[in-house]
Amino acid sequence: MDGLVTNIALIAGVGGGGVAARNIVLTGFAGLVAGAISMGLGEYTSVRSQNEQVEAEVAKERRELERNPVGEARELAEAWASRGLPRDLAEQVANALRSNPEEALRMHVREELGVDADDRPSPWTAAFSSFLCFSVGAVVPLITYLLGFDSLWLALGVGGLGLFVAGAAVARFTNRRWWVSGGRQLLLGAAATAVTYLVGRLIGVGAA
């Protein structure tokens, strides 16, 4: 979706400025490459930073378990009891975990941080996925130019169709009507496209 909206709006802006079709294609592919790299790097940095933060919290929790195992067991038991587990049973399980420090650490991290210390996302997978998905979306509004057509409106129409299809596909996971989800995405993308097109027209007219 990011690739679709970004490149549709981008080619609408430069197309609105009155540039030739060849320059629109060049701009579109430059936007594709720059956007895909930016998304990939951003996603890598985000996931890597998140993992490093979790690692720091896990290390902190490990130190607390080593220094005060009784207090940490009591804290874990209270968390379970607050969720409806009988206090006696919660204390029994929490104290039993003290004999297995690694399992106790996993349970504390899960309860206090809401994450699984052994199941963290790969920053490389996230980066590659973002790069690929952005590229696929960004190439859609350029398809007509690659096929030999030089109409900006045809390219924007294909891009709009891509937005609608992508929005409708999302409806499978949200239990919403497909045409509502598709129409909403099309409307949002059209708004972004209209703004950049008007900016292109103003700059193009001013430059002339």
Side-chain angles (χ1 to χ4, degrees):
M1 202 70 74
D2 287 335
L4 274 166
V5 174
T6 298
N7 238 22
I8 292 171
L10 181 60
I11 67 172
V14 295
V19 303
R22 181 179 179 181
N23 292 332
I24 293 177
V25 174
L26 175 61
T27 302
F29 273 102
L32 184 157
V33 174
I37 292 175
S38 176
M39 289 291 292
L41 291 177
E43 195 68 17
Y44 176 87
T45 302
S46 176
V47 174
R48 181 70 180 268
S49 299
Q50 179 182 347
N51 286 347
E52 290 173 348
Q53 181 182 10
V54 170
E55 289 172 3
E57 293 293 336
V58 170
K60 177 183 177 182
E61 193 64 37
R62 187 188 298 276
R63 290 192 299 269
E64 292 177 353
L65 281 169
E66 292 172 351
R67 294 171 182 171
N68 186 18
V70 175
E72 290 297 307
R74 185 182 305 113
E75 181 180 318
L76 188 60
E78 290 176 356
W80 286 336
S82 67
R83 296 183 182 180
L85 192 69
R87 180 168 294 277
D88 291 344
L89 179 58
E91 292 177 351
Q92 181 180 355
V93 175
N95 288 326
L97 283 175
R98 289 169 54 191
S99 62
N100 189 339
E102 289 302 316
E103 185 61 30
L105 177 64
R106 279 193 289 271
M107 293 304 301
H108 276 275
V109 169
R110 187 176 301 167
E111 290 293 331
E112 296 181 20
L113 304 181
V115 298
D116 189 338
D118 298 325
D119 186 23
R120 277 168 281 178
S122 166
W124 287 108
T125 299
F128 179 76
S129 298
S130 293
F131 181 94
L132 181 61
C133 290
F134 187 96
S135 299
V136 170
V139 80
V140 171
L142 298 174
I143 290 177
T144 57
Y145 287 107
L146 298 178
L147 293 177
F149 299 96
D150 61 359
S151 170
L152 173 63
W153 297 108
L154 181 60
L156 295 180
V158 171
L161 178 62
L163 283 170
F164 183 85
V165 170
V170 171
R172 295 183 56 187
F173 308 99
T174 60
N175 293 323
R176 292 183 177 273
R177 292 183 177 88
W178 63 270
W179 54 270
V180 172
S181 182
R184 178 179 59 188
Q185 198 60 48
L186 176 60
L187 182 62
L188 293 173
T193 301
V195 171
T196 55
Y197 179 80
L198 290 175
V199 170
R201 291 287 293 179
L202 291 173
I203 294 177
V205 171

